[in-house]
């Protein structure tokens, strides 16, 4: 019986040693101290080099010759639509204010509601048309200047805004052209200053150091 038990243990030990379960094993602490010469460190959870998981390139594949940022032509549609919607909302609020002011002596009735509604519709369409026309002129001048100069910078923004103001007020004579150009120059200059404020502040801090 003892011999049979001994032979069984020997057989089991032999099979365990064959499959790598028997014999002197190494703990995780022992294996952790072994230097991996010439090998990349692997993730303890994934059998993948972590450096392959870092994306150094853009996620999107751009066509040949395409810019990483949208140009003025792509932004023109958003600009025109946004200005029209903003003008319509502002005009509707202004029309409501004017309607309530002009009909304050009237009692709440159907004629007063109709008059207020007409004022809201008229003012909304007027402001939407005005801001939409300005956005259209600004976008058109911006695209033309960008294609002509072959560059996209704040100079295009200021030039497009100045030319938009001059053309929009051209019916008022030379004085109207000057006022429109000055208004466009001022607004676009403030916009360019706002966009570059962080860059300018960082440059000033570097110069002070």
């Amino acid at each position: 019986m003892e011999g049979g038990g001994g032979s069984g243990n020997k057989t089991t030990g032999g099979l365990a040693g064959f499959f790598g379960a028997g014999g002197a094993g190494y703990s995780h602490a022992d294996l952790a101290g072994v230097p991996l010469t010439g090998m990349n460190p692997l993730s303890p959870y994934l059998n993948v080099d972590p450096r392959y998981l870092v994306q150094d390139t853009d996620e999107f594949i751009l066509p040949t010759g395409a810019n990483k940022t949208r140009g003025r032509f792509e932004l023109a549609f958003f600009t025109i639509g946004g200005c029209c919607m903003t003008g319509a909302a502002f005009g509707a609020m202004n029309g409501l204010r004017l309607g309530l002011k002009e009909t304050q002596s009237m009692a709440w009735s159907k004629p007063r509601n109709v008059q207020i509604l007409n004022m809201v519709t008229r003012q909304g369409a007027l402001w939407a048309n005005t801001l939409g026309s300005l956005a259209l002129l600004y976008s058109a001048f911006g695209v033309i200047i960008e294609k002509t100069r072959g560059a996209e910078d704040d100079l295009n923004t200021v030039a497009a805004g100045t030319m938009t103001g001059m053309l929009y007020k051209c019916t008022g004579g030379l004085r109207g052209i000057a006022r429109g150009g000055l208004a466009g120059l001022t607004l676009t200059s403030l916009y360019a200053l706002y966009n570059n404020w962080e860059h300018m502040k960082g440059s000033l801090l570097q110069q002070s150091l």
Side-chain angles (χ1 to χ4, degrees):
M1 296 298 291
E2 293 179 358
S7 62
N9 293 335
K10 292 179 181 179
T11 306
T12 305
L15 293 176
F18 178 77
F19 288 104
Y26 297 97
S27 64
H28 293 287
D30 296 334
L31 294 177
V34 178
L36 301 177
T37 305
M39 298 179 62
N40 296 326
L42 300 179
S43 171
Y45 305 103
L46 299 175
N47 192 19
V48 178
D49 190 347
R51 291 180 297 179
Y52 291 109
L53 302 178
V54 179
Q55 298 181 358
D56 296 332
T57 59
D58 297 332
E59 298 181 1
F60 303 100
I61 300 176
L62 298 175
T64 304
N67 297 325
K68 294 184 179 180
T69 58
R70 292 183 295 178
R72 287 187 177 270
F73 184 76
E74 290 81 5
L75 293 175
F77 302 97
F78 170 78
T79 303
I80 297 172
C83 288
C84 287
M85 296 178 63
T86 303
F90 179 78
M93 296 299 296
N94 188 40
L96 179 62
R97 181 185 65 84
L98 294 177
L100 292 175
K101 183 178 179 180
E102 293 181 0
T103 60
Q104 60 182 354
S105 59
M106 300 174 57
W108 284 105
S109 58
K110 187 175 181 179
R112 185 183 183 185
N113 295 335
V114 171
Q115 188 171 353
I116 294 175
L117 183 60
N118 291 338
M119 185 65 67
V120 169
T121 305
R122 188 181 304 112
Q123 290 293 319
L126 176 63
W127 280 95
N129 185 27
T130 301
L131 293 185
S133 300
L134 290 173
L136 178 61
L137 293 175
Y138 171 77
S139 301
F141 281 126
V143 172
I144 293 174
I145 296 173
E146 179 187 7
K147 299 300 181 182
T148 302
R149 296 183 63 239
E152 172 56 29
D153 50 18
D154 294 326
L155 181 60
N156 296 349
T157 301
V158 176
T162 304
M163 296 176 67
T164 299
M166 294 173 63
L167 183 60
Y168 188 77
K169 289 295 185 179
C170 65
T171 56
L174 294 178
R175 182 173 297 180
I177 293 176
R179 290 179 178 177
L182 182 60
L185 176 63
T186 303
L187 292 177
T188 50
S189 298
L190 292 176
Y191 176 74
L193 181 62
Y194 172 77
N195 283 340
N196 296 312
W197 179 252
E198 294 296 333
H199 178 70
M200 295 174 59
K201 186 166 61 174
S203 301
L204 293 176
L205 289 177
Q206 292 180 358
Q207 292 178 1
S208 62
L209 295 177

